[in-house]
Short mmCIF file of all heavy atoms in Angstrom, two decimals:
data_model
loop_
_atom_site.label_atom_id
_atom_site.label_comp_id
_atom_site.label_asym_id
_atom_site.label_seq_id
_atom_site.Cartn_x
_atom_site.Cartn_y
_atom_site.Cartn_z
N MET A 1 -6.82 -12.94 -9.67
CA MET A 1 -8.19 -12.69 -9.32
C MET A 1 -8.23 -12.26 -7.83
O MET A 1 -7.29 -12.52 -7.13
CB MET A 1 -9.14 -13.83 -9.62
CG MET A 1 -9.44 -13.92 -11.10
SD MET A 1 -10.72 -15.17 -11.42
CE MET A 1 -9.77 -16.46 -11.64
N CYS A 2 -9.32 -11.79 -7.36
CA CYS A 2 -9.45 -11.19 -6.14
C CYS A 2 -10.55 -11.79 -5.30
O CYS A 2 -11.66 -11.75 -5.72
CB CYS A 2 -9.70 -9.74 -6.33
SG CYS A 2 -9.99 -8.84 -4.75
N ASP A 3 -10.22 -12.49 -4.18
CA ASP A 3 -11.36 -13.08 -3.33
C ASP A 3 -11.34 -12.18 -1.91
O ASP A 3 -11.32 -12.78 -0.88
CB ASP A 3 -11.05 -14.45 -2.97
CG ASP A 3 -11.06 -15.40 -4.19
OD1 ASP A 3 -11.95 -15.11 -4.97
OD2 ASP A 3 -10.15 -16.35 -4.39
N HIS A 4 -11.63 -10.86 -2.11
CA HIS A 4 -11.73 -10.03 -0.98
C HIS A 4 -10.48 -10.00 0.00
O HIS A 4 -10.69 -10.23 1.16
CB HIS A 4 -12.97 -10.19 -0.23
CG HIS A 4 -14.23 -10.01 -1.02
ND1 HIS A 4 -14.71 -8.67 -1.47
CD2 HIS A 4 -15.06 -10.82 -1.57
CE1 HIS A 4 -15.68 -8.79 -2.23
NE2 HIS A 4 -16.06 -10.04 -2.34
N PRO A 5 -9.20 -9.91 -0.53
CA PRO A 5 -8.18 -9.86 0.42
C PRO A 5 -8.17 -8.55 1.19
O PRO A 5 -9.01 -7.59 0.91
CB PRO A 5 -6.95 -10.01 -0.52
CG PRO A 5 -7.46 -9.35 -1.86
CD PRO A 5 -8.76 -9.83 -1.92
N SER A 6 -7.33 -8.46 2.20
CA SER A 6 -7.28 -7.23 2.98
C SER A 6 -6.96 -5.93 2.29
O SER A 6 -7.24 -4.87 2.71
CB SER A 6 -6.30 -7.48 4.19
OG SER A 6 -4.99 -7.64 3.63
N GLY A 7 -6.35 -6.05 1.09
CA GLY A 7 -6.03 -4.90 0.31
C GLY A 7 -7.12 -4.28 -0.51
O GLY A 7 -6.90 -3.24 -1.17
N CYS A 8 -8.28 -4.87 -0.44
CA CYS A 8 -9.41 -4.32 -1.15
C CYS A 8 -10.02 -3.09 -0.55
O CYS A 8 -10.02 -2.94 0.68
CB CYS A 8 -10.58 -5.41 -1.34
SG CYS A 8 -10.15 -6.71 -2.55
N SER A 9 -10.53 -2.26 -1.45
CA SER A 9 -10.96 -0.88 -0.96
C SER A 9 -12.38 -0.97 -0.32
O SER A 9 -12.73 -0.09 0.49
CB SER A 9 -10.96 0.12 -2.16
OG SER A 9 -11.84 -0.38 -3.12
N ASN A 10 -13.21 -1.91 -0.74
CA ASN A 10 -14.59 -2.06 -0.12
C ASN A 10 -15.10 -3.49 -0.44
O ASN A 10 -14.43 -4.32 -0.97
CB ASN A 10 -15.48 -0.95 -0.85
CG ASN A 10 -15.42 -1.07 -2.39
OD1 ASN A 10 -15.30 -2.18 -2.79
ND2 ASN A 10 -15.50 0.06 -3.05
N GLU A 11 -16.34 -3.63 -0.15
CA GLU A 11 -17.02 -4.94 -0.16
C GLU A 11 -17.49 -5.24 -1.64
O GLU A 11 -17.93 -6.32 -1.95
CB GLU A 11 -18.18 -5.07 0.84
CG GLU A 11 -17.69 -4.95 2.23
CD GLU A 11 -17.16 -6.18 2.77
OE1 GLU A 11 -17.46 -7.28 2.28
OE2 GLU A 11 -16.21 -6.15 3.54
N ALA A 12 -17.68 -4.20 -2.52
CA ALA A 12 -18.23 -4.42 -3.80
C ALA A 12 -17.34 -5.30 -4.67
O ALA A 12 -16.19 -5.28 -4.54
CB ALA A 12 -18.40 -3.10 -4.48
N THR A 13 -18.04 -6.19 -5.48
CA THR A 13 -17.28 -7.10 -6.38
C THR A 13 -17.70 -6.81 -7.74
O THR A 13 -18.85 -6.56 -8.06
CB THR A 13 -17.67 -8.57 -6.02
OG1 THR A 13 -17.39 -8.83 -4.67
CG2 THR A 13 -17.03 -9.52 -6.94
N CYS A 14 -16.68 -6.88 -8.63
CA CYS A 14 -16.95 -6.51 -10.14
C CYS A 14 -16.64 -7.94 -10.82
O CYS A 14 -15.70 -8.63 -10.61
CB CYS A 14 -16.00 -5.49 -10.62
SG CYS A 14 -16.25 -3.88 -9.86
N GLN A 15 -17.58 -8.19 -11.70
CA GLN A 15 -17.38 -9.37 -12.64
C GLN A 15 -16.89 -8.85 -13.97
O GLN A 15 -17.55 -8.07 -14.66
CB GLN A 15 -18.73 -10.16 -12.82
CG GLN A 15 -18.68 -11.23 -13.79
CD GLN A 15 -19.99 -11.94 -13.90
OE1 GLN A 15 -20.58 -12.40 -12.92
NE2 GLN A 15 -20.50 -12.03 -15.14
N LEU A 16 -15.81 -9.40 -14.40
CA LEU A 16 -15.16 -8.96 -15.72
C LEU A 16 -15.19 -10.18 -16.63
O LEU A 16 -14.77 -11.27 -16.28
CB LEU A 16 -13.75 -8.58 -15.44
CG LEU A 16 -12.94 -8.28 -16.60
CD1 LEU A 16 -13.44 -7.06 -17.38
CD2 LEU A 16 -11.44 -7.92 -16.22
N THR A 17 -15.73 -10.00 -17.87
CA THR A 17 -15.74 -11.05 -18.86
C THR A 17 -14.80 -10.67 -19.95
O THR A 17 -14.77 -9.54 -20.42
CB THR A 17 -17.17 -11.14 -19.53
OG1 THR A 17 -18.21 -11.28 -18.53
CG2 THR A 17 -17.31 -12.26 -20.50
N LEU A 18 -13.93 -11.77 -20.20
CA LEU A 18 -12.87 -11.53 -21.18
C LEU A 18 -12.98 -12.50 -22.40
O LEU A 18 -13.47 -13.54 -22.17
CB LEU A 18 -11.45 -11.87 -20.45
CG LEU A 18 -11.14 -11.04 -19.13
CD1 LEU A 18 -9.84 -11.61 -18.64
CD2 LEU A 18 -10.93 -9.61 -19.59
N ARG A 19 -12.60 -12.10 -23.53
CA ARG A 19 -12.46 -12.91 -24.64
C ARG A 19 -11.04 -13.03 -25.08
O ARG A 19 -10.34 -12.06 -25.29
CB ARG A 19 -13.35 -12.40 -25.86
CG ARG A 19 -13.33 -13.27 -27.10
CD ARG A 19 -14.08 -12.79 -28.22
NE ARG A 19 -15.51 -12.66 -27.89
CZ ARG A 19 -16.21 -11.50 -28.01
NH1 ARG A 19 -15.69 -10.42 -28.43
NH2 ARG A 19 -17.46 -11.51 -27.59
N ASN A 20 -10.58 -14.29 -25.34
CA ASN A 20 -9.33 -14.63 -25.84
C ASN A 20 -9.36 -14.41 -27.35
O ASN A 20 -10.13 -15.00 -28.04
CB ASN A 20 -8.94 -16.09 -25.47
CG ASN A 20 -7.59 -16.41 -25.87
OD1 ASN A 20 -7.14 -16.23 -27.00
ND2 ASN A 20 -6.73 -16.90 -24.97
N GLU A 21 -8.58 -13.47 -27.89
CA GLU A 21 -8.64 -13.17 -29.21
C GLU A 21 -8.04 -14.27 -30.08
O GLU A 21 -8.35 -14.28 -31.33
CB GLU A 21 -7.89 -11.82 -29.54
CG GLU A 21 -8.60 -10.61 -28.85
CD GLU A 21 -9.92 -10.35 -29.44
OE1 GLU A 21 -10.04 -10.48 -30.71
OE2 GLU A 21 -10.79 -10.02 -28.73
N VAL A 22 -7.25 -15.17 -29.57
CA VAL A 22 -6.69 -16.23 -30.30
C VAL A 22 -7.68 -17.32 -30.40
O VAL A 22 -8.01 -17.91 -31.53
CB VAL A 22 -5.38 -16.72 -29.68
CG1 VAL A 22 -4.78 -17.85 -30.46
CG2 VAL A 22 -4.43 -15.60 -29.65
N THR A 23 -8.31 -17.79 -29.32
CA THR A 23 -9.22 -18.89 -29.37
C THR A 23 -10.72 -18.55 -29.54
O THR A 23 -11.49 -19.35 -29.79
CB THR A 23 -9.05 -19.78 -28.09
OG1 THR A 23 -9.45 -18.97 -27.02
CG2 THR A 23 -7.57 -20.26 -27.89
N GLY A 24 -10.95 -17.34 -29.09
CA GLY A 24 -12.42 -16.93 -29.08
C GLY A 24 -13.24 -17.32 -27.87
O GLY A 24 -14.37 -16.93 -27.71
N LEU A 25 -12.55 -17.95 -26.97
CA LEU A 25 -13.21 -18.44 -25.81
C LEU A 25 -13.37 -17.27 -24.77
O LEU A 25 -12.44 -16.40 -24.59
CB LEU A 25 -12.38 -19.57 -25.05
CG LEU A 25 -12.36 -20.87 -25.87
CD1 LEU A 25 -11.43 -21.96 -25.17
CD2 LEU A 25 -13.69 -21.50 -25.99
N GLU A 26 -14.48 -17.30 -24.02
CA GLU A 26 -14.58 -16.26 -23.02
C GLU A 26 -14.43 -16.85 -21.57
O GLU A 26 -14.72 -18.11 -21.35
CB GLU A 26 -16.04 -15.68 -23.09
CG GLU A 26 -16.30 -14.93 -24.31
CD GLU A 26 -17.56 -14.12 -24.33
OE1 GLU A 26 -18.36 -14.33 -23.40
OE2 GLU A 26 -17.83 -13.46 -25.34
N SER A 27 -13.98 -16.02 -20.67
CA SER A 27 -13.79 -16.45 -19.30
C SER A 27 -14.25 -15.26 -18.40
O SER A 27 -14.43 -14.05 -18.85
CB SER A 27 -12.25 -16.65 -18.97
OG SER A 27 -11.50 -15.71 -19.21
N VAL A 28 -14.52 -15.61 -17.15
CA VAL A 28 -15.00 -14.63 -16.19
C VAL A 28 -14.09 -14.52 -15.00
O VAL A 28 -13.63 -15.50 -14.48
CB VAL A 28 -16.46 -14.98 -15.79
CG1 VAL A 28 -16.96 -13.98 -14.66
CG2 VAL A 28 -17.39 -15.07 -16.87
N GLU A 29 -13.81 -13.35 -14.61
CA GLU A 29 -12.88 -13.08 -13.40
C GLU A 29 -13.68 -12.19 -12.41
O GLU A 29 -14.52 -11.33 -12.83
CB GLU A 29 -11.55 -12.45 -13.84
CG GLU A 29 -10.72 -13.35 -14.82
CD GLU A 29 -9.55 -12.57 -15.29
OE1 GLU A 29 -9.32 -11.33 -15.08
OE2 GLU A 29 -8.72 -13.23 -15.94
N TYR A 30 -13.34 -12.26 -11.18
CA TYR A 30 -14.10 -11.35 -10.15
C TYR A 30 -12.98 -10.59 -9.33
O TYR A 30 -11.97 -11.17 -8.99
CB TYR A 30 -14.89 -12.35 -9.15
CG TYR A 30 -15.93 -13.03 -9.89
CD1 TYR A 30 -15.74 -14.31 -10.47
CD2 TYR A 30 -17.19 -12.45 -10.05
CE1 TYR A 30 -16.73 -15.01 -11.06
CE2 TYR A 30 -18.13 -13.12 -10.71
CZ TYR A 30 -17.99 -14.46 -11.23
OH TYR A 30 -18.99 -15.06 -11.81
N TYR A 31 -13.28 -9.34 -9.12
CA TYR A 31 -12.35 -8.52 -8.40
C TYR A 31 -13.13 -7.54 -7.48
O TYR A 31 -14.30 -7.15 -7.89
CB TYR A 31 -11.61 -7.47 -9.44
CG TYR A 31 -10.69 -8.44 -10.36
CD1 TYR A 31 -11.13 -8.77 -11.66
CD2 TYR A 31 -9.39 -8.73 -10.04
CE1 TYR A 31 -10.37 -9.51 -12.50
CE2 TYR A 31 -8.72 -9.47 -10.87
CZ TYR A 31 -9.09 -9.84 -12.16
OH TYR A 31 -8.31 -10.63 -12.94
N CYS A 32 -12.40 -7.02 -6.50
CA CYS A 32 -12.99 -5.89 -5.72
C CYS A 32 -12.78 -4.69 -6.74
O CYS A 32 -11.96 -4.79 -7.71
CB CYS A 32 -12.25 -5.67 -4.44
SG CYS A 32 -10.57 -5.20 -4.56
N LYS A 33 -13.47 -3.53 -6.44
CA LYS A 33 -13.26 -2.40 -7.33
C LYS A 33 -11.85 -1.95 -7.58
O LYS A 33 -11.49 -1.59 -8.62
CB LYS A 33 -14.19 -1.25 -6.80
CG LYS A 33 -15.57 -1.52 -7.15
CD LYS A 33 -16.34 -0.34 -6.78
CE LYS A 33 -17.83 -0.53 -7.08
NZ LYS A 33 -18.65 0.61 -6.89
N ALA A 34 -11.03 -1.93 -6.51
CA ALA A 34 -9.67 -1.42 -6.57
C ALA A 34 -8.84 -2.30 -7.53
O ALA A 34 -8.11 -1.83 -8.37
CB ALA A 34 -9.03 -1.36 -5.21
N HIS A 35 -8.91 -3.65 -7.33
CA HIS A 35 -8.31 -4.54 -8.24
C HIS A 35 -8.86 -4.67 -9.58
O HIS A 35 -8.08 -4.97 -10.49
CB HIS A 35 -8.18 -5.93 -7.56
CG HIS A 35 -7.22 -5.96 -6.30
ND1 HIS A 35 -7.83 -6.07 -5.04
CD2 HIS A 35 -5.93 -5.90 -6.27
CE1 HIS A 35 -6.80 -5.98 -4.21
NE2 HIS A 35 -5.73 -5.99 -4.81
N PHE A 36 -10.01 -4.32 -9.78
CA PHE A 36 -10.69 -4.40 -11.03
C PHE A 36 -10.03 -3.14 -11.89
O PHE A 36 -9.65 -3.48 -13.09
CB PHE A 36 -12.17 -4.09 -10.89
CG PHE A 36 -12.98 -3.82 -12.31
CD1 PHE A 36 -13.20 -4.93 -13.02
CD2 PHE A 36 -13.28 -2.48 -12.64
CE1 PHE A 36 -13.91 -4.76 -14.29
CE2 PHE A 36 -13.86 -2.32 -13.86
CZ PHE A 36 -14.19 -3.46 -14.69
N VAL A 37 -9.93 -2.13 -11.29
CA VAL A 37 -9.19 -0.93 -12.11
C VAL A 37 -7.76 -1.35 -12.54
O VAL A 37 -7.32 -1.13 -13.72
CB VAL A 37 -9.19 0.37 -11.25
CG1 VAL A 37 -8.43 1.44 -11.86
CG2 VAL A 37 -10.65 0.84 -11.00
N ALA A 38 -7.07 -1.94 -11.62
CA ALA A 38 -5.62 -2.34 -11.93
C ALA A 38 -5.75 -3.49 -13.16
O ALA A 38 -4.84 -3.49 -13.94
CB ALA A 38 -5.04 -3.09 -10.78
N ARG A 39 -6.69 -4.36 -12.99
CA ARG A 39 -6.70 -5.35 -14.12
C ARG A 39 -7.04 -4.79 -15.40
O ARG A 39 -6.58 -5.14 -16.37
CB ARG A 39 -7.79 -6.45 -13.65
CG ARG A 39 -8.01 -7.54 -14.71
CD ARG A 39 -6.74 -8.35 -14.89
NE ARG A 39 -7.04 -9.55 -15.72
CZ ARG A 39 -6.15 -9.94 -16.64
NH1 ARG A 39 -5.11 -9.42 -16.85
NH2 ARG A 39 -6.50 -11.03 -17.31
N MET A 40 -7.94 -3.68 -15.46
CA MET A 40 -8.27 -3.14 -16.77
C MET A 40 -7.10 -2.46 -17.28
O MET A 40 -6.86 -2.42 -18.55
CB MET A 40 -9.47 -2.15 -16.45
CG MET A 40 -10.84 -2.74 -16.17
SD MET A 40 -11.38 -3.82 -17.41
CE MET A 40 -11.67 -2.85 -18.76
N TRP A 41 -6.32 -1.89 -16.40
CA TRP A 41 -4.96 -1.27 -16.87
C TRP A 41 -4.11 -2.29 -17.52
O TRP A 41 -3.59 -1.98 -18.54
CB TRP A 41 -4.37 -0.58 -15.61
CG TRP A 41 -3.06 0.10 -15.98
CD1 TRP A 41 -1.79 -0.28 -15.99
CD2 TRP A 41 -2.99 1.54 -16.50
NE1 TRP A 41 -0.94 0.73 -16.38
CE2 TRP A 41 -1.65 1.73 -16.66
CE3 TRP A 41 -3.96 2.42 -16.67
CZ2 TRP A 41 -1.18 3.04 -17.18
CZ3 TRP A 41 -3.47 3.78 -17.07
CH2 TRP A 41 -2.13 3.99 -17.38
N GLU A 42 -3.97 -3.49 -17.00
CA GLU A 42 -3.29 -4.52 -17.47
C GLU A 42 -3.74 -5.00 -18.87
O GLU A 42 -2.94 -5.20 -19.73
CB GLU A 42 -3.21 -5.76 -16.60
CG GLU A 42 -2.48 -5.65 -15.33
CD GLU A 42 -2.71 -6.94 -14.48
OE1 GLU A 42 -3.42 -7.78 -14.83
OE2 GLU A 42 -2.02 -6.92 -13.35
N LEU A 43 -5.02 -5.06 -18.98
CA LEU A 43 -5.66 -5.51 -20.26
C LEU A 43 -5.51 -4.40 -21.37
O LEU A 43 -5.51 -4.84 -22.53
CB LEU A 43 -7.20 -5.74 -20.08
CG LEU A 43 -7.50 -6.88 -19.29
CD1 LEU A 43 -8.99 -6.94 -18.94
CD2 LEU A 43 -7.14 -8.27 -19.97
N ASP A 44 -5.24 -3.17 -21.01
CA ASP A 44 -5.06 -2.16 -22.10
C ASP A 44 -3.87 -2.50 -22.97
O ASP A 44 -3.98 -2.18 -24.19
CB ASP A 44 -4.90 -0.86 -21.40
CG ASP A 44 -4.97 0.39 -22.37
OD1 ASP A 44 -5.81 0.32 -23.31
OD2 ASP A 44 -4.14 1.30 -22.22
N GLY A 45 -2.90 -3.03 -22.44
CA GLY A 45 -1.68 -3.41 -23.25
C GLY A 45 -1.66 -4.83 -23.73
O GLY A 45 -0.60 -5.21 -24.29
N ASP A 46 -2.72 -5.61 -23.48
CA ASP A 46 -2.66 -7.04 -23.93
C ASP A 46 -3.54 -7.20 -25.20
O ASP A 46 -4.72 -7.14 -25.12
CB ASP A 46 -3.28 -7.91 -22.72
CG ASP A 46 -3.15 -9.42 -22.98
OD1 ASP A 46 -2.76 -9.78 -24.03
OD2 ASP A 46 -3.29 -10.09 -22.00
N SER A 47 -2.90 -7.50 -26.28
CA SER A 47 -3.57 -7.70 -27.52
C SER A 47 -4.20 -9.06 -27.63
O SER A 47 -5.05 -9.33 -28.52
CB SER A 47 -2.74 -7.41 -28.70
OG SER A 47 -1.63 -8.37 -28.80
N ARG A 48 -3.93 -9.94 -26.78
CA ARG A 48 -4.54 -11.36 -26.79
C ARG A 48 -5.86 -11.45 -26.09
O ARG A 48 -6.49 -12.52 -26.27
CB ARG A 48 -3.58 -12.34 -26.16
CG ARG A 48 -2.23 -12.41 -26.96
CD ARG A 48 -1.16 -13.29 -26.12
NE ARG A 48 -0.93 -12.40 -24.95
CZ ARG A 48 -0.41 -12.92 -23.84
NH1 ARG A 48 -0.15 -14.23 -23.74
NH2 ARG A 48 -0.17 -12.10 -22.85
N GLN A 49 -6.21 -10.43 -25.19
CA GLN A 49 -7.41 -10.57 -24.52
C GLN A 49 -8.17 -9.29 -24.64
O GLN A 49 -7.68 -8.13 -24.60
CB GLN A 49 -7.25 -10.86 -23.01
CG GLN A 49 -6.77 -12.19 -22.77
CD GLN A 49 -6.72 -12.56 -21.27
OE1 GLN A 49 -6.92 -11.76 -20.36
NE2 GLN A 49 -6.45 -13.84 -21.03
N ASP A 50 -9.54 -9.33 -24.63
CA ASP A 50 -10.42 -8.20 -24.74
C ASP A 50 -11.41 -8.25 -23.77
O ASP A 50 -12.06 -9.38 -23.46
CB ASP A 50 -11.04 -8.22 -26.21
CG ASP A 50 -11.05 -6.94 -26.86
OD1 ASP A 50 -10.53 -5.98 -26.37
OD2 ASP A 50 -11.70 -6.90 -27.97
N ALA A 51 -11.60 -7.14 -22.94
CA ALA A 51 -12.73 -7.14 -22.03
C ALA A 51 -14.03 -6.87 -22.85
O ALA A 51 -14.17 -6.02 -23.62
CB ALA A 51 -12.52 -5.95 -21.09
N VAL A 52 -14.97 -7.76 -22.68
CA VAL A 52 -16.26 -7.76 -23.37
C VAL A 52 -17.46 -7.34 -22.47
O VAL A 52 -18.56 -7.12 -23.00
CB VAL A 52 -16.62 -9.02 -24.14
CG1 VAL A 52 -15.46 -9.22 -25.32
CG2 VAL A 52 -16.67 -10.22 -23.35
N GLY A 53 -17.19 -7.42 -21.24
CA GLY A 53 -18.33 -6.96 -20.31
C GLY A 53 -17.76 -6.88 -18.92
O GLY A 53 -16.75 -7.48 -18.46
N ALA A 54 -18.43 -5.90 -18.19
CA ALA A 54 -18.17 -5.73 -16.74
C ALA A 54 -19.41 -5.34 -15.98
O ALA A 54 -20.25 -4.64 -16.49
CB ALA A 54 -17.10 -4.54 -16.61
N THR A 55 -19.61 -5.96 -14.81
CA THR A 55 -20.72 -5.79 -14.04
C THR A 55 -20.42 -5.61 -12.58
O THR A 55 -19.58 -6.44 -12.14
CB THR A 55 -21.70 -7.03 -14.20
OG1 THR A 55 -21.95 -7.22 -15.60
CG2 THR A 55 -23.07 -6.79 -13.48
N THR A 56 -21.09 -4.73 -11.92
CA THR A 56 -20.93 -4.60 -10.50
C THR A 56 -21.87 -5.44 -9.81
O THR A 56 -23.12 -5.40 -10.14
CB THR A 56 -21.00 -3.19 -9.99
OG1 THR A 56 -20.09 -2.27 -10.57
CG2 THR A 56 -20.96 -3.00 -8.46
N LEU A 57 -21.52 -6.47 -8.90
CA LEU A 57 -22.34 -7.34 -8.29
C LEU A 57 -22.87 -6.78 -6.90
O LEU A 57 -22.12 -6.07 -6.24
CB LEU A 57 -21.74 -8.70 -8.04
CG LEU A 57 -21.12 -9.33 -9.33
CD1 LEU A 57 -20.39 -10.59 -8.95
CD2 LEU A 57 -22.20 -9.61 -10.40
N GLU A 58 -24.12 -7.05 -6.74
CA GLU A 58 -24.71 -6.54 -5.45
C GLU A 58 -24.09 -7.17 -4.18
O GLU A 58 -23.74 -8.47 -4.35
CB GLU A 58 -26.15 -6.80 -5.48
CG GLU A 58 -26.98 -6.16 -6.53
CD GLU A 58 -27.02 -4.67 -6.28
OE1 GLU A 58 -26.95 -4.15 -5.13
OE2 GLU A 58 -27.01 -3.94 -7.27
N SER A 59 -23.75 -6.44 -3.22
CA SER A 59 -23.21 -7.04 -1.99
C SER A 59 -24.30 -7.81 -1.21
O SER A 59 -25.43 -7.32 -1.15
CB SER A 59 -22.66 -5.92 -1.09
OG SER A 59 -21.62 -5.27 -1.71
N GLU A 60 -23.94 -8.85 -0.69
CA GLU A 60 -24.98 -9.63 0.17
C GLU A 60 -24.75 -9.11 1.56
O GLU A 60 -23.69 -8.98 2.16
CB GLU A 60 -24.63 -11.16 0.21
CG GLU A 60 -24.81 -11.75 -1.17
CD GLU A 60 -24.52 -13.14 -1.29
OE1 GLU A 60 -24.35 -13.77 -0.14
OE2 GLU A 60 -24.36 -13.79 -2.32
N GLY A 61 -25.92 -8.91 2.23
CA GLY A 61 -25.86 -8.53 3.58
C GLY A 61 -26.49 -7.30 3.88
O GLY A 61 -26.98 -6.35 3.71
#
């Protein structure tokens, strides 16, 4: 996950909701936009997890 490290492209944060296809449990991860795209690429080849939602969160400030 991404907590705004120096490698992030900007201040925007994306919330990604995942569902484990084995257990059915959902989890939430947070990424900057650049790392969000990389994470989606990883999920494309993972049959155990499914992205069920993605939201861009408003920047504070």
Side-chain angles (χ1 to χ4, degrees):
M1 282 189 272
C2 176
D3 293 323
H4 297 292
S6 60
C8 283
S9 61
N10 56 34
E11 298 284 328
T13 301
C14 298
Q15 176 181 303
L16 177 63
T17 304
L18 301 173
R19 179 181 299 127
N20 183 307
E21 292 298 320
V22 176
T23 64
L25 295 174
E26 290 188 1
S27 62
V28 176
E29 299 176 352
Y30 297 91
Y31 298 95
C32 67
K33 284 186 178 182
H35 290 106
F36 173 78
V37 171
R39 180 64 171 135
M40 291 303 293
W41 184 265
E42 289 174 356
L43 289 171
D44 190 42
D46 188 350
S47 62
R48 295 168 295 155
Q49 291 190 353
D50 224 6
V52 294
T55 305
T56 300
L57 304 177
E58 295 293 326
S59 297
E60 294 180 14

